[in-house]
Structures are given as C-alpha cells and as structure tokens.
Amino acid sequence: MIKLSILLTLIFLPFCLPAQKKAEKSLILPSQQQKLWADAEIGAIFHFDMPVFMADYNWKKWGSHPPATVFNPRRINTDQWISSAKAAGAKYAILVAKHCSGFSLWPTGAHAYSVKNSPWKNGKGDLVMDFLASCKKYGLRPGIYASASANGYLWVDNPGKVIPGGPVDQETYNKIVIQQLGELWGNYGKLFEIWFDGGVLPVKDGGPDVASLLKKLQPDAVVFQGPVTAKNLIRWIGNEDGLAPYPNWSTSHVINGNANLKKDDFSGIPNGEIWCPGETDFPLRTGWQGGWFWKSSDQQLMKKGQLLDNYVTSVGRNSNMLIGIVVDTSGNVPPEDVSLLRAFGNSVKDKFKPLSLTSGSGRYLELQLSEQSHKIDGVIICEDIAKGERIRKYQIECWLDGGWKKIAEGTSVGHKRIQLFASIETTKLRLTINEAAALPIIKEFATINTGDSEGQSQTDKTKK
C-alpha cells in the first residue's frame, strides 16, 4: 500500500440535533447475523444431484426418477470442493442437500430415496456430514439448501403442492418436509445460511409450518427466500447472471420467496420495512441445466474477466456474490473450474486492494493522495451498515487543473459500492453526499487501480 497522507474534511449535514436523533431512530438496522453475512461478501453453492449421472432426467416427468443406485461417485472429496471455494475468496459455502429430484444426500429417515440406498460407501455415506466437516476444516461457514417447493420423487411442483395421482398426499408431504428439515437443521450443528429456492408454501395455503421449526432449530441462520417471520432474511436479485440491480437497497418490502414479486422487490427500496439485502447467485458455467449441474459437453466455462465483472456487479452493488460450482461424476470439482476459481481469487486481491483510504462522517469526505498525481480508475465506498443505510445520493470529484471535476455519481451504497470510471491522474478526491436519511457514516472511502478501464467513460464500466 502506498504511504499517503490523508486529509479528512468533515462538514456535517444540516440537521439540528433533535431532528438528527429522530432520523436515526427511524432507520431499519441489520441483525448481527445479517452484518456478518454482508462482511463475508463471497459464498459458494454446490449442486450434485441426479442430472449429473443421468443427463436426460426431467424431474417434472412424474414417476420417471432414476433409482438411487445411479448415484455412485467414484472418488468424492469435499475437501477439494471447499478448498476451491476458499481459493476464490469465499467465506461461506452452501450444499444443495436436496434439489428438485427429491434425492437426498444424507441418509434421511423420511423415505428410501437417498444415499442410504446407493452404492456410494455401500449405503453408509452422509454427504451433508462430509461437507460440513470440510467447511470446518477450511474455516468456511456452512449452509444448507433443501428445496421444499419441488420434489420429482414425490410428485411435488413449485411452490410445494402435490400433483394428484402421486405417491403421497399434501398432508403426508408436509410431514416429510418437516422431518427432513428437522434432520438437516437439528443433526448437523449451527448453520450460517439456509436456502429456500422458490420460497415456502405458506401454512394458510396448505404448506408445512416451516417457520416454527426454523425458529426452534436455527434461529440465527441467515435465510434466503424463507418464511416472512424469519429474523435474518435475505432476498433474490431477480436473475442468475451475476447482475445485481442498481440502485440496490438493503431494505425492502415484507416478501416471501418468489410469490407476487414486483420490480422494487428485486432492487429493494430506501426506507423499507425490513432489512432484507440481496444475494446474487450465478453458476460458473452456462448452457445445459443453466450451468448449475455438471455435464461433459454442452456447457461453457466463464472467463476470468466475466467473473471479475460479476464481482463488481454483485459485491460492488451492495450484494453478496454466490458462485455456483459444479461437481462431476467422480465427485470432484473439475480441474478447469478449480483453476478459474483460484485465478479469480488472486485477481480480486490484486485489482481491488485499496491504494489509499479514509473514513469519517458528514457531507464531505476529502482524500488527499499526495503531492504527485496518482493513476486510479475506481473507488470503493462502504457505509457502516450497523448504523443503517443512510446515503441516498452521492457524487465523486477529482482535483484537476486547479478545480474539482465530477467523475462519478450514484445512489445506493450500503455495505460496499465499487464504482469504476475512465483512468485518471489526480492528487485528491472528494466524496459529496447530496442526499441522506441521517448523518452519513463512511466506514471506508478508498481508491483502486484495476488497470482495466482505458477508454471507459461510464460511471460503471461493467454491464448495467
């Protein structure tokens, strides 16, 4: 890091003290778990289900599910999975313990369609246990995905309703859901994140009482698309392309899964009723099965540049980045995917390391670089979200030819805003907060030089 002198100018917003205190009291704040989740920034999610072993399987063709004997990875190694995710900079990892086929990666007592009836480890294996042990070994916080909204084995379609003519009725299926979630949440220790893909069918619509079980067994877990009563909710951003919307606010309406989503539900809203930040999930691969599951052909692996763009349009837009990683029939992450994850992790450390930084509170924050000009092509702005999301509009100026010149502007900041622009040389920068809900508290205002912005004139050079 360049040794730089820092000039900090603080000019407070024109709030009188009583008005300021009133404004602060009205702010919605994150829970401690939501704050820890935001600090993690990057996670990984691993899909390993029947489509890997039988590519033509369609879970919606009721009664066509492959037998459990199809699941037979030759040399599965969850340590290799988690070490690959860690190399990419991931701080947490999620296992898809049961996807849409209904096949369960742990020896569930709810039905026969699980690893206990597969040849893997002679039916004695437990992939959930192995996965969590690897997370502990490598220091990643563990998470579990278990879809309650779809189940090919039991003829259940999104959002969790049993199709007539299937092997179970709705009441029986609800009991199976509660039993399986009870096993996953009650037998493997504390979970960092729980995933409900597609949400949960509410009790009033005939669904299982998942909310009570969650409160009992995993009250501190961060919950993606879960019951509205969960205290640590996070939300979907509306696509699987690594592209969080902008602006992207941490507060939102009270929402549940994908039901009745509006445009504002994907981007959040300022002054929302709940703290419910967005998580940006996307697969490393494209093509067959959306890239979520491995196939030997008909897929394309992302380039490192694409992955770095996704970092800017997820973490850099006040969202966590959740990377979908495939596992092949051997039970390992393919070597080319491992190489990409490692190269990405190294590039993030190199390109987005702060060259100079400061912090403070108020309307203006000035950063003196040095007496000589330095080349930069972006800034990082972070609010102290423990005090709420306060900034509503800002601009960035550089000192050029004896005066201030605006080079970028924006709205939402939240946990982190990465803003790239055409490369400039300057001696100082100024962050001006034009609108705020309360006194802005800036945890970090930093300069970066990614070396990739020649010829770019947009405030955000990456995809909109």
Side-chain angles (χ1 to χ4, degrees), residues 179-238:
Q179 180 174 345
Q180 289 204 303
L181 294 182
E183 292 169 353
L184 290 171
W185 299 348
N187 298 342
Y188 295 96
K190 188 173 182 178
L191 298 174
F192 181 64
E193 182 168 334
I194 290 173
W195 246 69
F196 290 96
D197 195 4
V200 183
L201 185 67
V203 174
K204 65 180 178 62
D205 296 327
D209 186 9
V210 169
S212 296
L213 188 69
L214 180 66
K215 185 177 181 180
K216 176 183 177 183
L217 297 180
Q218 294 286 345
D220 295 325
V222 173
V223 181
F224 179 85
Q225 292 188 325
V228 295
T229 55
K231 67 177 181 179
N232 301 311
L233 286 173
I234 56 177
R235 68 175 196 273
W236 190 40
I237 51 81

Side-chain angles (χ1 to χ4, degrees), residues 47-172:
H47 287 69
F48 194 38
D49 192 26
M50 285 302 174
V52 173
F53 299 92
M54 189 172 286
D56 61 350
Y57 167 60
N58 179 349
W59 67 271
K60 285 194 175 185
K61 290 184 178 179
W62 313 115
S64 68
H65 55 276
T69 52
V70 167
F71 186 84
N72 191 21
R74 300 185 302 276
R75 53 181 186 276
I76 196 165
N77 184 352
T78 54
D79 279 1
Q80 188 251 11
W81 303 8
I82 302 303
S83 63
S84 300
K86 186 170 184 176
K91 299 296 191 299
Y92 62 100
I94 298 168
L95 174 66
V96 179
K98 187 200 76 65
H99 200 252
C100 297
S101 72
F103 183 78
S104 303
L105 298 183
W106 75 104
T108 179
H111 55 66
Y113 200 44
S114 78
V115 290
K116 69 183 178 183
N117 287 309
S118 77
W120 176 60
K121 291 189 175 181
N122 296 315
K124 304 298 182 183
D126 185 338
L127 195 50
V128 173
M129 183 173 63
D130 293 347
F131 182 86
L132 269 66
S134 294
C135 285
K136 183 177 181 180
K137 179 177 179 179
Y138 287 92
L140 270 65
R141 296 185 174 102
I144 292 291
Y145 166 129
S147 173
S149 62
N151 191 313
Y153 173 65
L154 297 175
W155 296 34
V156 179
D157 202 357
N158 190 42
K161 292 187 176 181
V162 173
I163 301 299
V168 297
D169 58 19
Q170 190 70 49
E171 183 180 359
T172 302

Side-chain angles (χ1 to χ4, degrees), residues 265-326:
D265 293 328
F266 293 132
S267 59
I269 54 172
N271 309 311
E273 308 103 277
I274 59 170
W275 190 277
C276 186
E279 184 172 49
T280 303
D281 63 308
F282 64 91
L284 274 186
R285 296 183 171 217
T286 59
W288 181 82
Q289 288 283 341
W292 293 108
F293 293 99
W294 176 85
K295 191 181 181 185
S296 59
S297 60
D298 303 323
Q299 286 187 323
Q300 298 79 44
L301 186 63
M302 267 191 177
K303 303 294 185 183
K304 185 180 73 172
Q306 291 176 286
L307 199 48
L308 287 167
D309 279 354
N310 283 11
Y311 175 76
V312 175
T313 56
S314 58
V315 174
R317 291 184 178 179
N318 187 37
S319 172
N320 275 22
M321 177 183 194
L322 187 63
I323 306 171
I325 302 176
V326 301

Side-chain angles (χ1 to χ4, degrees), residues 6 58 66 103 110 168 234 273 326 342 371 376 394 411 413:
I6 296 174
N58 179 349
F103 183 78
V168 297
I234 56 177
E273 308 103 277
V326 301
R342 184 177 296 112
E371 294 181 0
I376 61 172
Y394 67 88
T411 52
V413 174

Side-chain angles (χ1 to χ4, degrees), residues 180-441:
Q180 289 204 303
L181 294 182
E183 292 169 353
L184 290 171
W185 299 348
N187 298 342
Y188 295 96
K190 188 173 182 178
L191 298 174
F192 181 64
E193 182 168 334
I194 290 173
W195 246 69
F196 290 96
D197 195 4
V200 183
L201 185 67
V203 174
K204 65 180 178 62
D205 296 327
D209 186 9
V210 169
S212 296
L213 188 69
L214 180 66
K215 185 177 181 180
K216 176 183 177 183
L217 297 180
Q218 294 286 345
D220 295 325
V222 173
V223 181
F224 179 85
Q225 292 188 325
V228 295
T229 55
K231 67 177 181 179
N232 301 311
L233 286 173
I234 56 177
R235 68 175 196 273
W236 190 40
I237 51 81
N239 63 72
E240 296 178 346
D241 302 319
L243 181 58
Y246 191 79
N248 185 34
W249 307 98
S250 297
T251 59
S252 182
H253 298 296
V254 176
I255 58 175
N256 178 31
N258 296 325
N260 303 314
L261 287 178
K262 304 170 187 173
K263 183 180 178 181
D264 285 346
D265 293 328
F266 293 132
S267 59
I269 54 172
N271 309 311
E273 308 103 277
I274 59 170
W275 190 277
C276 186
E279 184 172 49
T280 303
D281 63 308
F282 64 91
L284 274 186
R285 296 183 171 217
T286 59
W288 181 82
Q289 288 283 341
W292 293 108
F293 293 99
W294 176 85
K295 191 181 181 185
S296 59
S297 60
D298 303 323
Q299 286 187 323
Q300 298 79 44
L301 186 63
M302 267 191 177
K303 303 294 185 183
K304 185 180 73 172
Q306 291 176 286
L307 199 48
L308 287 167
D309 279 354
N310 283 11
Y311 175 76
V312 175
T313 56
S314 58
V315 174
R317 291 184 178 179
N318 187 37
S319 172
N320 275 22
M321 177 183 194
L322 187 63
I323 306 171
I325 302 176
V326 301
V327 179
D328 63 23
T329 52
S330 74
N332 288 282
V333 178
E336 59 269 32
D337 300 55
V338 174
S339 296
L340 173 60
L341 290 164
R342 184 177 296 112
F344 165 71
N346 289 335
S347 290
V348 168
K349 292 176 185 176
D350 178 54
K351 292 178 178 293
F352 298 96
K353 63 182 178 184
L355 301 177
S356 57
L357 61 88
T358 188
S359 61
S361 58
R363 183 179 177 187
Y364 298 105
L365 200 55
E366 188 175 311
L367 181 58
Q368 181 77 45
L369 306 184
S370 71
E371 294 181 0
Q372 295 182 338
S373 295
H374 284 275
K375 183 180 287 188
I376 61 172
D377 61 15
V379 296
I380 297 174
I381 312 169
C382 304
E383 290 189 74
D384 183 357
I385 62 170
K387 306 292 176 54
E389 191 175 48
R390 302 182 174 204
I391 296 172
R392 297 292 181 263
K393 186 181 291 187
Y394 67 88
Q395 68 182 40
I396 302 164
E397 301 162 288
C398 72
W399 186 258
L400 189 66
D401 298 329
W404 290 108
K405 177 186 177 182
K406 185 168 76 172
I407 55 174
E409 61 185 359
T411 52
S412 63
V413 174
H415 176 263
K416 180 170 285 187
R417 172 72 171 129
I418 299 174
Q419 192 146 17
L420 305 180
F421 40 75
S423 181
I424 59 169
E425 292 191 17
T426 188
T427 58
K428 55 184 176 180
L429 291 179
R430 183 168 69 182
L431 171 65
T432 300
I433 311 302
N434 304 112
E435 294 179 18
L439 180 70
I441 302 177

Side-chain angles (χ1 to χ4, degrees), residues 448-460:
I448 54 176
N449 183 22
T450 69
D452 291 335
S453 38
E454 281 73 11
Q456 299 293 332
S457 59
Q458 297 92 348
T459 58
D460 229 343

